[in-house]
Structure formats: structure tokens, C-alpha cells
Amino acid sequence: MPALLWFRRDLRVRDHPALLAAADSDQVLACFVLDPRLERSSGQRRLQFLGDALRALRDDLDGRLLVVRGRPEHQIPLLAREIGAPAVHISEDFAPYGKRRDEKVSAALGSVPLVATGSPYLVSPGRVTKPDGAPYKVFTPFLRQWRAAGWRTPAKSDAASARWIDPADVPIQACAIPDPGSRLDIAAGTAHEQWKSFVGKGLKTYDTDRNRPGIAGTSRMSAHLKSGTIHPRSMVVDLDPRERGAQAYLRELAFRDFYADVLHHWPRSAWRNWNSNFDDIETDTGAEAQRRFEAWQAGQTGFPIVDAGMRQLRQIGFMPNRVRMIVASFLVKDLHLPWQWGAAWFLDQLVDGDMANNQHGWQWCAGSGTDAAPYFRVFNPTTQGVKFDPDGDYIRQWVPELRDAVDAHVRTGDRPPGYPAPIVDHGAERREALHRYQVLSS
């Protein structure tokens, strides 16, 4: 009997345990459901990458991918009934929306099981716990147990692993794959090639270069991990435990699993403070706050490293993690705006926008999350820029007004024509941030 393989955050054929599970059936119908609710909440670049990844997956399957639009709890049971599937195979989703969706789909399927095999993570949420079964709230002890838990070797799957049903033989109306027309600087169908290139050229110095935005020192694999065009298992086999760069990269993959675990156990933390003590901290929300927020969005704050990051985000939908921390600290502690404003803007703009990573990265900067940076640690955007972009190469790349400046960090106060003055006084706003924190903690 034919099985139904429902692709979600696993848009690949290599290293795909759910595909192997489905392949035990005589035939397999591969499908993707374009959920209007997720489509509406996705930024245009993220939707473009999704569409590109679906087209690449369809090519890998020689066209045998059925894409339909609608609510999964309606479309998946319909497809299962149409082909007489005894089971629907998936990679497990642990995000709050994904869990609610799968509960609805499972209920609608009735006696047909929704079979979850594998997940998008090295170690799935819920597997790493304290001896008493409680989840970890701090990364370092989580990391130790995460390493001890370990992970499987890559699954030996490819497009030839199953006998695929031609969607033309299924009397269900297919829909067009999204193509909003956004230009991306990253190709969805080249995950493995991109990773191998990074391993050969950038992994060895990753531990230092990743903090230098003027250097191409990051792997740019985050969008691939978000959409599942590669599984992290396929990456860690190339990480030599003797190399510092490789171990630094593995630690970042552990952070990805940690934040997914936090969101799994505390789903309210998607948009609310994980540390509810911060619910009462004073933030600005009036007309002046909105004006400052718009200046931050546009990269017109007058702080070069902040403006470079925000302009890069607007132009290509990406920003190195070090710069993400700097611009987030600026929004929360210099502008005193709610972290949720920044998190929502990032999700709208980022190609790699991931709910767990994004929201908890923002809360780390805001001081309201697990393992949070102490609220009283306020990044000075000028000194941060000098430290991590000492020659100003990153700033000059993304802020044309400063391209010919003697000092791209404009520490002398001599600003080229057209570049704005600082919208706030960092020293004064740092004192204000500390005052608000003292009021909260008193």
C-alpha cells in the first residue's frame, strides 16, 4: 500500500529518516502543504527561499512532488484517503505552532497514524534533561548533557530510496510554488556544496572570524538548517574535535538545539519574557519611540556598526550573529524599546528567520531569557564596532556615506554629508537603562 510523506522543515532527500520509514511501503506520495497561516506570517525573503527549496526538492524527485495549498488538517487527510495510505510520515516538529498543527492533523486522520521519524535537530527537544527529568535553563550544563546524549550517523537516504507516485496520477489540484520575486544571495539547492566549501575554506578559523563582520567568516548555513535543505548530522561528520574552529561551530549547533528545547518546554516564551520578572520593566512605546524604531529599521541611527547591520538586513536578509547582538542591545538598552518589536522585524526580514533562535537570541540581549546577558551589560556600539570591525570594512560596505571616511567609526564627530547625527546619547541612555533595571529589581 502507498504511504504519504509530508515534507515540512526537511526539504531534502539526503539524510532523511522519515523518507526511509515511508520507503518501506510499496509506493510513496511526496507532498508539501502550503499553509496560508504560515505563508502570511513569513517574510518575503523567507518565502522566496522556501519556494526555491521546494523547486530544488521537486527537481531531485524528478517532478514527483505534490504541492497543495490549504490547512494541513484538511489537506493531509484528503490526500491520505485519496491514495489509501495506511500511514502519514513526517519529521517531528517541536515549535508551538507545529505541535498544535500536528495535533489537529492527527485527530483529523483518525485511525491513520501520523508517524514521526527524526527531527530537524541533532538532539531533539525533550531528550536532554536533568537527572530528575526537568529541562535545563542554563546552556553550559545543557551542553555537557547534550554531548553525552549524542546523535546518530546520517541516514542513508536519497531520491532512489522509494518508488514515488507521480502527482499527475492523483486527482488533487496542485498549487503554484511560491515565487514572490525577492532576490536572494544564497541558493536553496546547494546546501551540501556550500557546506563543503566552508569546511575547506573557513571552518579552521571560524572561532575567530565569525566575530569579524568585515570577513566572510560565517558558513551562511542557517537558512539551510531552517528549511531542512541539509540536516546537521550531515555537517557534524566534518567537524574534527581537535580543531578549535570545528568545536566552536559544534557549540553553535548546540545553541540551536538548546533554544529549540527551551521553546518546546516554555512555548509562551515565543513572544513573552521567559523570565517573567521582566514583564514590568519600563519600555517606550509612544510616537517618539516609533520614530526611533523606524530610524533603527532604516539604518539611520548615526551609529555606524548599527546602521551597517540594519542596512545589510534590509538589503539581503542576513546579518552576522555578532552584529545581531549589537543592534539588538541598541534597540533594547539605548532606545528602550520592547524586544518584541525587534524580533518581529527580524522575522520579517531574515532569510533564516527561526522562531526559537530568533526569539531567544533577542531575549538573551534583553536580559529576560535563559542564560541571558546581565541587563546591566550594555554594549557600547562604537567600541563594539572598533573591536570587531577595526578597519571599518564592514561599515564601508553597507554605509555608502562612510565609504571614503578617514574613520568609518566617526569617533571624532566629523560626519560626512548625508550621514545622520546619533539619534541618542549612548552614555545617557546607558544610565537610563540601568536606572530602569534598578527600579525593576528593587
Side-chain angles (χ1 to χ4, degrees):
M1 296 179 70
L4 183 63
L5 176 60
W6 175 19
F7 285 93
R8 294 104 69 85
R9 288 185 57 187
D10 51 357
L11 305 181
R12 64 185 185 278
V13 294
R14 296 166 65 177
D15 190 4
H16 198 307
L19 189 161
L20 285 179
D24 284 340
S25 299
D26 295 333
Q27 289 182 297
V28 179
L29 175 63
C31 76
F32 182 88
V33 180
L34 193 60
D35 186 339
R37 292 167 293 188
L38 291 182
E39 194 175 11
R40 286 192 299 269
S41 66
S42 294
Q44 290 300 292
R45 294 190 185 95
R46 192 147 39 102
L47 193 60
Q48 185 70 56
F49 191 88
L50 170 65
D52 293 348
L54 285 170
R55 280 181 282 275
L57 176 61
R58 183 180 60 188
D59 290 345
D60 288 341
L61 294 172
D62 293 330
R64 292 165 298 184
L65 174 68
L66 177 61
V67 180
V68 297
R69 175 178 279 105
R71 295 204 169 195
E73 61 267 31
H74 299 154
Q75 296 294 340
I76 292 299
L78 176 64
L79 288 169
R81 287 195 301 270
E82 192 63 46
I83 66 171
V88 177
H89 292 270
I90 59 170
S91 298
E92 192 165 5
D93 195 336
F94 291 90
Y97 178 80
K99 289 191 289 186
R100 293 194 302 269
R101 174 203 58 206
D102 289 353
E103 288 171 359
K104 292 178 182 178
V105 171
S106 183
L109 283 169
S111 61
V112 177
L114 191 62
V115 181
T117 310
S119 80
Y121 305 101
L122 276 173
V123 182
S124 298
R127 279 189 57 202
V128 177
T129 61
K130 299 177 183 178
D132 64 359
Y136 283 100
K137 301 177 182 179
V138 178
F139 175 69
T140 301
F142 173 91
L143 176 62
R144 287 194 294 267
Q145 189 58 35
W146 178 85
R147 290 179 184 275
W151 43 85
R152 297 180 177 88
T153 57
K156 295 181 179 179
S157 67
D158 56 27
S161 300
R163 294 181 60 240
W164 302 100
I165 296 173
D166 190 335
D169 297 333
V170 182
I172 299 291
Q173 181 65 45
C175 73
I177 293 176
D179 192 3
S182 296
R183 295 183 62 183
L184 303 181
D185 70 335
I186 183 169
T190 61
H192 286 269
E193 294 79 3
Q194 183 179 320
W195 171 246
K196 293 298 183 183
S197 176
F198 173 73
V199 169
K201 298 177 182 179
L203 181 60
K204 190 172 183 178
T205 56
Y206 173 77
D207 58 320
T208 55
D209 289 355
R210 67 191 178 99
N211 285 315
R212 295 284 302 277
I215 298 173
T218 62
S219 68
R220 293 295 307 272
M221 294 299 296
S222 51
H224 293 294
L225 288 168
K226 160 64 182 175
S227 296
T229 52
I230 193 171
H231 195 282
R233 274 188 311 262
S234 296
M235 300 162 65
V236 296
V237 294
D238 294 321
L239 299 181
D240 187 337
R242 298 168 296 181
E243 293 186 357
R244 293 179 59 182
Q247 288 311 295
Y249 200 96
L250 184 64
R251 191 172 186 273
E252 294 304 306
L253 291 175
F255 254 119
R256 178 175 182 264
D257 284 9
F258 175 61
Y259 283 150
D261 191 73
V262 171
L263 187 60
H264 169 62
H265 289 289
W266 292 278
R268 67 185 295 277
S269 67
W271 289 106
R272 301 178 66 180
N273 293 315
W274 181 88
N275 182 351
S276 59
N277 292 333
F278 277 77
D279 290 351
D280 294 327
I281 198 166
E282 180 186 356
T283 57
D284 296 346
T285 57
E288 177 61 18
Q290 183 63 37
R291 184 189 72 78
R292 291 181 175 185
F293 180 59
E294 291 171 359
W296 177 83
Q297 288 177 303
Q300 294 287 344
T301 69
F303 290 86
I305 191 69
V306 174
D307 293 341
M310 296 308 296
R311 294 189 195 187
Q312 182 186 25
L313 177 66
R314 287 180 73 102
Q315 290 183 43
I316 68 169
F318 177 77
M319 189 192 305
N321 189 60
R322 172 58 59 177
V323 185
R324 296 188 198 199
M325 291 190 286
I326 295 170
V327 304
S329 175
F330 186 83
L331 179 111
V332 173
K333 296 174 183 177
D334 284 75
L335 304 185
H336 315 298
L337 302 180
W339 65 262
Q340 291 91 339
W341 289 18
W345 179 246
F346 270 31
L347 285 177
D348 181 71
Q349 295 291 307
L350 286 168
V351 179
D352 63 11
D354 176 89
M355 184 65 73
N357 278 357
N358 188 65
Q359 309 308 82
H360 291 102
W362 270 93
Q363 291 199 57
W364 184 90
C365 292
S368 63
T370 61
D371 259 349
Y375 191 82
F376 49 81
R377 183 185 297 163
V378 181
F379 285 170
N380 181 316
T382 301
T383 57
Q384 288 281 309
V386 171
K387 180 177 181 180
F388 295 110
D389 188 30
D391 298 325
D393 295 337
Y394 177 72
I395 291 170
R396 289 188 173 90
Q397 179 181 359
W398 296 105
V399 184
E401 305 96 299
L402 300 176
R403 197 156 287 162
D404 298 322
V406 175
D407 177 16
H409 304 285
V410 292
R411 286 166 287 185
T412 63
D414 184 17
R415 290 173 180 261
Y419 188 63
I423 61 173
V424 294
D425 179 285
H426 171 71
E429 302 308 336
R430 178 182 183 277
R431 290 190 293 274
E432 175 63 19
L434 296 178
H435 169 71
R436 296 187 186 196
Y437 174 69
Q438 289 165 357
V439 170
L440 176 70
S441 58
S442 61

